[in-house]
Amino acid sequence: MMPGSLRAACVAVLRRDLLLAWRRRGDIALPVLYALIVTTLFPFALGPNDDLLARVAGGVVLVTVLLAMLLAFDALFRPDLEDGSLEQLMLAPQPLALLLGMKILAHWVSTALPLIVIAPILASMLHLPTHANAVLVLALLVATPLLSLLGSVLVALTAGTRRSGMLLALMLLPLCVPVVIFAAGAVSAAQEGLPWIAPIAWLGAALALMLILAPLACAAALRIAIDA
């Protein structure tokens, strides 16, 4: 059972970050708008071939969501580092890793969750079969938190670097390739009527591991960035 003071601190950090995200609603809408534009352009590039679009629909939606999430990663810790809020978190008696975990959760809710909500719309634009939509959403529900955790570690490592957006993208994309492969494999298997549980299970195992390791790595990296 989590102590009352620790629970209150976690709720306070989560509520603060969600409130700040709501005040910057334009930043939340930007990844969604980006995903809609990119998905709309694919039929023009590939032509009006419904079978071809259906075959690539799962991979296109997953890659589009990944790239849309990249737009918001740079602002995960940087504003707190610039206004001194991060130093206050470090001085708090609660474990820094747990508080940072709440910040990562708030980032996922404000960035990835809207993309998951519109994912069936994006898939229908590419003629993904209806029976594969549920698997796509499930894959995103497992893959996007994993991407957020991986991205948070790299954001923490580059927190002291100015204009680190391109560096962050170059570091994150190779780590995201296995995630996209397993998630797209699950969707493709569902389209063909094959078992699709195994890729989701592997993603779930990786997510469980990163839920423990990523906040600890973020805490260590941010301490180094502030002390530097």
Side-chain angles (χ1 to χ4, degrees):
M1 182 68 67
M2 186 181 296
S5 61
L6 182 56
R7 187 187 309 112
C10 292
V11 171
V13 172
L14 182 61
R15 181 179 179 182
R16 170 188 177 272
D17 281 24
L18 290 177
L19 181 60
L20 290 175
W22 178 250
R23 290 176 178 175
R24 300 192 300 264
R25 291 186 287 275
D27 294 342
I28 298 178
L30 183 60
V32 174
L33 182 61
Y34 172 86
L36 285 171
I37 292 173
V38 171
T39 307
T40 302
L41 291 176
F42 262 91
F44 292 102
L46 298 178
N49 189 328
D50 292 352
D51 293 336
L52 176 59
L53 291 174
R55 284 200 303 272
V56 302
V60 168
V61 172
L62 288 164
V63 172
T64 301
V65 168
L66 163 63
L67 296 177
M69 290 179 64
L70 279 176
L71 297 175
F73 269 132
D74 193 45
L76 179 55
F77 298 128
R78 187 175 300 280
D80 295 322
L81 187 61
E82 293 175 349
D83 64 14
S85 300
L86 202 55
E87 286 88 343
Q88 297 300 318
L89 287 181
M90 291 184 177
L91 295 174
Q94 292 80 16
L96 178 60
L98 189 57
L99 298 180
L100 293 178
M102 294 299 103
K103 295 183 69 65
I104 297 169
L105 175 59
H107 177 269
W108 178 81
V109 170
S110 60
T111 302
L113 201 56
L115 293 170
I116 295 174
V117 170
I118 68 164
I121 300 175
L122 303 180
S124 65
M125 293 168 60
L126 298 174
H127 304 285
L128 183 72
T130 305
H131 65 272
N133 267 335
V135 179
L136 174 63
V137 173
L138 178 60
L140 287 171
L141 285 172
V142 180
T144 51
L146 182 55
L147 294 175
S148 291
L149 291 166
L150 290 171
S152 66
V153 176
L154 298 181
V155 170
L157 289 172
T158 59
T161 306
R162 292 185 178 273
R163 298 179 181 180
S164 58
M166 183 59 68
L167 176 62
L168 177 63
L170 292 175
M171 294 170 63
L172 182 59
L173 286 176
L175 298 177
C176 293
V177 169
V179 180
V180 173
I181 289 175
F182 278 101
V187 178
S188 178
Q191 286 182 256
E192 298 175 6
L194 300 174
W196 50 266
I197 293 295
I200 300 295
W202 280 106
L203 288 175
L207 176 59
L209 181 64
M210 288 304 297
L211 281 172
I212 300 172
L213 297 180
L216 296 172
C218 287
L222 288 173
R223 290 186 188 279
I224 294 172
I226 289 180
D227 293 340

